Amino acid sequence: MTRPALRAGARPERVPLSFAQRRLWFLGQLEGPSPTYNVPVSLRLSGDVDVPALGAALRDVLERHEVLRTVFPVADDGEPYQRVLDAEALDWELTVVDVARDGLADAVAEAQAYAFDLAVEVPFRAWLFRAGEGTDPERDERVLVVVVHHIATDGWSREPLARDVSVAYEARCAGRAPEWEALPVQYADYALWQRALLGDEEDPESLISRQTHYWREALAGSPEELALPFDRPRPAVATHRGHRMPLEVPAEVHARLVELARAEGVTVFMVLQAALSTLLSRLGAGDDIPIGSAIAGRTDEAMDDLVGCFVNTLVIRTDLSGDPTFREVLARVRETGLSAFAHQDVPFERLVEELAPVRSMARHPLFQVVLTLQNTAEAVLDLDGVRTGAVAAPSSAAVSAKFDLDVILGESYDPQGAPAGLHGVVIAAADLFDPDTAERVTRGWARVLDLVSTDPDTRVGSVDVLDDDERRRLLVEWNDTARDGLSVLVPELFAGQVVRSPEAVAVVCDGERVSYAELEARANRIAGYLAGQGVGAESVVGLCLPRGVEMIAAILGVWKAGAGYLPLDPEQPADRIAFMLADSRAALTLTTEEILDELPAGRGRLVPLDDPRRDAAGGRCADRARRPARPRRGAGVHHLHLGVDGPAQGCGGDPWRAGQLCGRRARRVGLGAPGARYALLQAQATDLGNTLVFASLATGGDCTSCRRRRSPTRRLWPRTWPSTASTTSRPCPPTWPPLVPMAVWRLSFPARRWSWAARRLPPAGCGSCWRSPDRSGGCSTTTGPYGPTEATIGVATTPLTPELIAAGTVPVGTPVANTRCYVLDRSLNPAPAGVAGSCTSPVTSWPVAMCGAPG
């Protein structure tokens, strides 16, 4: 299809905005006047500046380019339109301001941050700041600041704008008007031509229909948001504040990149895009990486010398699935990129409307990372008799960030045409990244460019984005957790408490209060019985018991006999119970007469604890269990399920780690305070069901439980745990709903120390209670322990705050004493800080997050 040429023609009474302008106008309506989309240029002028000539030259440029003297009012139907102001009647002039030398930087920054009211104000302002006595032009400081709103300019426009100002200044200094060839079209002509070119959206053969169909297929299933190593959750509304990080790529790397592009038949931009996609993937973004790319959008030569916003944005996806080599990634990028450029006429703004992604004030639609390789002609302001130089932005100057990451690069070549390096910046959103993280990302990309240009056959999964300092921090510094004195086991710690306070209450269950001495006696009888049955080291004993005193005494008894325990839930299907007993090779199973009647026959040897004959046999052998045996292998066996109907798989608990749960690790998560009262909320047949019990028995606390098999309901909660009963708890998902009401919370836990035990977060309704003062003036302490059953539950912890919970993301925290945590990617390499790991255990898939710095 032949493309119509861009020509000036008749205009309607109201000229519509171009699609690019309409999006910028819409953002202005949404966010209000702000400097976010300003395009400022600041130049230091040295020499004899003819100020009247400079002001006249700038006004000449406004007369030459209609878009610079266009306002954007709104019609009665709510649609904005372009109104070009008459050049002769235009109230515009160069603003000349005398400032003190020490106030020059602030004055420049304030001018750059000017907020345009586009409905009534032209999108072009200029200031000349003068600092000095005015007696020596060579010593006086003059800074020219020109600010154009993006609705009237783009990167390409800088060169023709600077050229026109230079021509006009030369003419005005000579006392005449500039003589230049008239522009063939104006921006308003382009806006009308753009709509004619794209055609009717209802016509399936129109250019916009055909190209929109391509993009609908090309972006189907594209991720709406990339997961990157953010330092904080994304806010509901972006502030557009940013961090600017310089990026320098040395000449030798640049030369290798150019040679690689030539060898693979791609552009340097495609090599940069492939490398950036590789970095983002290695930082946790996955295998499908959409990146935004700005293109000039000047598809007709009539636009070449025109100032205006012609730039369009393409969304280019990079497919990194299958762990390809970088050379293979380049081939994929080439194919995708060429197809995207062949369909570049659809304005990005119209594409967003057509694809209708979930809109958010927090992030950019369709992509959040942008790559720009600046290859437009250099803008040179040539003022006769005046030397110009760029003004460095003050360190305190605000940096605007429109995207999560905005990567801007330019190429340098020496006089012989050899690559001399890449230079640019990475702008990271301050809402999401700390400066250190932004710098780490910037260094990582430079490292990737070096690696892939040296060996393009490197697979993406093998690209190492860690430098030596980061690797040492991850593997050594953050895992310096060695501590002495944590080898004592739970039965030994419990025995010490029995000696110190035998009459103290150890367990409260449905009105029954059992002292440490009585619990010790019960455990000894059980241990004696087991010893008489040949149970000892390497044995496993099944425990199919109600929660509370029976289960606690049985666990202690099994440990005293030197064996490991297998917790069983009588409400589980019979075939699963049979499987777990067979899988663990349990020597026997302790239960009760009531539960025994419910268990099907043929489940191995079942021994009711409440049988008087068993109790008598245990009493005769109790003396043999007063000194606890030390198990050599397993403290317990827990079975996890791969899905609702999947097979259960057993995990053995480490006896040493079980002891550590009651030492410094317990105190790390807010457990183990002497004399604390604990509320046992979950079933003791789970892997988490006894961690509070262990901490309580080892430190002289008392543990409140009940024999109900189901978790307490909202009505039963206050009666189950009265206000004087419990100060510490470790809820898991089934127990969350009753916690939400404030009244229940305050009735049940006056001092409130919480340790949430689950993969997902507690309900948001609880957040308002966590930091509220209790009746004694204290505040709740809330921690989130993490650890799979394979690691005896607890390996890392993090303090929980209402802010973290409200954000919906919580890190697993930092490793506890004598524990090392490594977050690995799919290739079993250390993942960078802040990146979620990709490894799963053979038993259960745990979402592994970064272990932060110790603290």
Side-chain angles (χ1 to χ4, degrees):
M1 179 180 294
T2 303
R3 297 170 65 93
L6 171 57
R7 295 189 177 91
R11 299 181 185 177
E13 180 181 355
R14 291 176 178 168
V15 177
L17 278 62
S18 71
F19 286 100
Q21 284 184 324
R22 200 179 193 290
R23 173 163 176 76
L24 290 165
W25 174 86
F26 173 76
L27 292 172
Q29 297 295 111
L30 196 63
E31 302 173 6
S34 78
T36 301
Y37 294 94
N38 284 357
V39 182
V41 176
S42 300
L43 294 173
R44 193 176 304 278
L45 308 182
S46 302
D48 190 7
V49 180
D50 187 333
V51 177
L54 180 59
L58 291 170
R59 189 179 180 90
D60 289 334
V61 171
L62 264 75
E63 182 177 351
R64 178 169 171 78
H65 297 278
E66 287 182 355
V67 72
L68 298 179
R69 49 187 169 90
T70 298
V71 294
F72 304 89
V74 179
D76 294 338
D77 60 1
E79 283 296 311
Y81 62 95
Q82 299 186 54
R83 183 162 72 90
V84 180
L85 302 183
D86 181 69
E88 297 296 328
L90 182 63
D91 182 17
W92 188 97
E93 63 180 12
L94 171 66
T95 302
V96 181
V97 182
D98 292 318
V99 298
R101 290 184 186 276
D102 59 358
L104 181 59
D106 290 339
V108 170
E110 183 179 356
Q112 292 176 337
Y114 184 82
F116 290 96
D117 184 351
L118 297 174
V120 297
E121 188 175 15
V122 298
F124 184 92
R125 289 291 303 268
W127 295 261
L128 180 65
F129 295 102
R130 301 186 300 193
E133 299 297 329
T135 58
D136 186 352
E138 292 297 328
R139 293 188 56 195
D140 291 349
E141 289 189 81
R142 298 180 181 86
V143 175
L144 174 66
V145 178
V146 176
V147 179
V148 189
H149 194 281
H150 191 19
I151 203 169
T153 190
D154 56 18
W156 185 294
S157 299
R158 294 167 65 98
E159 193 276 331
L161 182 59
R163 184 179 66 236
D164 287 350
V165 172
S166 301
V167 171
Y169 181 77
E170 181 181 7
R172 291 301 178 181
C173 285
R176 56 181 173 80
E179 298 176 0
W180 42 36
E181 186 178 348
L183 293 169
V185 294
Q186 290 288 343
Y187 192 85
D189 301 312
Y190 160 76
L192 295 169
W193 172 82
Q194 182 187 42
R195 282 171 164 72
L197 172 70
L198 293 175
D200 187 354
E201 297 179 28
E202 301 299 324
D203 178 7
E205 297 303 317
S206 67
L207 183 63
I208 191 170
S209 295
R210 289 185 283 109
Q211 292 199 6
T212 298
H213 176 73
Y214 163 82
W215 285 110
R216 190 181 295 111
E217 291 188 345
L219 298 181
S222 180
E224 291 186 349
E225 180 176 329
L226 288 181
L228 294 174
F230 301 140
D231 293 299
R232 60 190 61 85
R234 189 183 298 275
V237 179
T239 66
H240 298 299
R241 295 178 296 106
H243 306 299
R244 181 189 298 269
M245 298 297 157
L247 175 64
E248 297 292 335
V249 178
E252 57 270 22
V253 177
H254 184 198
R256 293 200 303 267
L257 294 171
V258 171
E259 179 59 30
L260 177 61
R262 185 180 299 114
E264 297 302 318
V266 300
T267 64
V268 172
F269 175 83
M270 291 177 180
V271 177
L272 296 176
Q273 179 197 331
L276 181 58
S277 299
T278 298
L279 171 71
L280 298 179
S281 178
R282 301 293 290 124
L283 293 179
D287 295 334
D288 186 355
I289 312 294
I291 293 178
S293 174
I295 58 173
R298 298 179 185 244
T299 55
D300 190 290
E301 62 181 10
M303 308 176 196
D304 288 352
D305 295 329
L306 202 59
V307 172
C309 183
F310 299 96
V311 66
N312 196 13
T313 303
L314 301 182
V315 188
I316 306 178
R317 294 171 74 177
T318 303
D319 176 16
L320 298 172
S321 62
D323 196 19
T325 65
F326 187 75
R327 200 184 301 274
E328 292 170 339
V329 175
L330 286 177
R332 298 180 186 182
V333 167
R334 181 180 185 275
E335 180 180 357
T336 304
L338 291 177
S339 296
F341 276 91
H343 297 83
Q344 65 171 289
D345 295 295
V346 177
F348 177 77
E349 298 72 25
R350 183 66 193 88
L351 191 61
V352 172
E353 295 175 5
E354 176 66 26
L355 299 183
V358 176
R359 304 302 290 268
S360 170
M361 293 286 288
R363 55 175 167 76
H364 194 274
L366 299 182
F367 63 87
Q368 296 82 46
V369 178
V370 173
L371 173 62
T372 303
L373 180 61
Q374 295 177 329
N375 53 11
T376 58
E378 183 180 1
V380 178
L381 185 63
D382 184 11
L383 304 181
D384 187 30
V386 180
R387 296 186 303 276
T388 62
V391 177
S395 58
S396 59
V399 177
S400 176
K402 305 180 185 69
F403 311 97
D404 292 359
L405 290 174
D406 191 355
V407 183
I408 307 169
L409 276 181
E411 292 185 273
S412 295
Y413 290 86
D414 65 18
Q416 288 72 42
L422 297 167
H423 55 86
V425 296
V426 174
I427 299 175
D431 291 341
L432 306 172
F433 298 98
D434 289 333
D436 288 347
T437 305
E439 183 181 9
R440 194 161 60 244
V441 171
T442 304
R443 291 199 314 267
W445 193 40
R447 180 178 176 83
V448 170
L449 289 171
D450 186 11
L451 291 173
V452 299
S453 63
T454 301
D455 182 9
D457 291 315
T458 300
R459 294 198 174 275
V460 169
S462 301
V463 173
D464 188 359
V465 297
L466 298 175
D467 59 29
D468 292 340
D469 289 340
E470 291 177 278
R471 186 176 297 277
R472 183 176 59 256
R473 187 180 307 114
L474 290 172
L475 302 184
V476 180
E477 294 177 10
W478 290 357
N479 281 297
D480 184 14
T481 62
R483 301 291 185 272
D484 295 329
L486 297 181
S487 60
V488 182
L489 303 186
V490 174
E492 297 167 350
L493 294 169
F494 171 71
Q497 293 298 328
V498 173
V499 173
R500 285 188 292 272
S501 52
E503 301 306 319
V505 175
V507 182
V508 178
C509 184
D510 290 353
E512 181 183 8
R513 303 170 70 85
V514 179
S515 68
Y516 274 83
E518 174 58 22
L519 187 60
E520 165 85 348
R522 293 191 188 191
N524 285 342
R525 286 195 293 271
I526 294 172
Y529 173 78
L530 295 175
Q533 300 301 307
V535 172
E538 311 305 325
S539 299
V540 172
V541 176
L543 302 180
C544 193
L545 297 163
R547 72 174 70 181
V549 180
E550 293 92 340
M551 177 65 87
I552 294 172
I555 293 173
L556 287 172
V558 170
W559 279 352
K560 283 172 173 286
Y565 73 96
L566 169 70
L568 299 168
D569 185 348
E571 296 185 357
Q572 288 183 324
D575 58 343
R576 286 195 174 179
I577 292 178
F579 170 81
M580 288 186 282
L581 289 171
D583 185 57
S584 64
R585 297 185 179 90
L588 55 85
T589 299
L590 300 180
T591 183
T592 66
E593 292 283 0
E594 180 183 2
I595 296 176
L596 182 64
D597 293 339
E598 299 178 7
L599 293 176
R603 300 305 175 210
R605 187 180 176 193
L606 305 177
V607 178
L609 279 179
D610 47 0
D611 184 342
R613 292 171 297 177
R614 194 282 314 157
D615 199 53
R620 290 192 296 269
C621 302
D623 288 341
R624 297 165 55 182
R626 292 192 182 277
R627 179 169 298 178
R630 296 179 68 83
R632 293 191 298 272
R633 186 175 65 180
V637 177
H638 292 83
H639 282 75
L640 304 176
H641 298 278
L642 299 178
V644 176
D645 299 319
Q649 297 191 16
C651 302
D654 184 343
W656 304 103
R657 300 183 72 83
Q660 287 189 43
L661 280 170
C662 307
R664 295 185 185 180
R665 184 186 306 180
R667 292 191 289 275
R668 169 78 173 273
V669 299
L671 307 180
R677 297 188 176 106
Y678 297 83
L680 181 59
L681 307 184
Q682 59 266 47
Q684 292 180 266
T686 65
D687 55 346
L688 292 170
N690 294 297
T691 54
L692 282 183
V693 176
F694 301 157
S696 178
L697 297 181
T699 57
D702 70 62
C703 186
T704 299
S705 180
C706 69
R707 290 186 176 85
R708 294 184 183 90
R709 296 178 184 175
R710 298 295 185 186
S711 298
T713 64
R714 187 173 298 180
R715 286 180 306 149
L716 293 175
W717 193 284
R719 296 201 302 271
T720 304
W721 285 281
S723 61
T724 58
S726 304
T727 62
T728 305
S729 185
R730 193 176 192 186
C732 60
T735 63
W736 287 348
L739 296 175
V740 176
M742 177 76 77
V744 172
W745 186 287
R746 288 183 170 174
L747 278 173
S748 304
F749 298 97
R752 295 193 305 282
R753 183 180 297 274
W754 298 90
S755 176
W756 294 97
R759 303 183 195 180
R760 62 186 177 90
L761 300 175
C766 298
S768 61
C769 309
W770 290 340
R771 293 294 172 184
S772 59
D774 59 36
R775 285 170 290 184
S776 62
C779 290
S780 63
T781 299
T782 312
T783 57
Y786 166 83
T789 302
E790 299 92 320
T792 316
I793 305 170
V795 297
T797 63
T798 190
L800 295 184
T801 63
E803 293 76 17
L804 275 177
I805 299 302
T809 56
V810 175
V812 298
T814 57
V816 297
N818 293 333
T819 301
R820 290 188 295 272
C821 292
Y822 302 106
V823 182
L824 307 179
D825 61 19
R826 286 172 299 180
S827 301
L828 301 184
N829 295 316
V835 177
S838 300
C839 295
T840 59
S841 76
V843 175
T844 181
S845 174
W846 283 82
V848 182
M850 196 273 296
C851 290

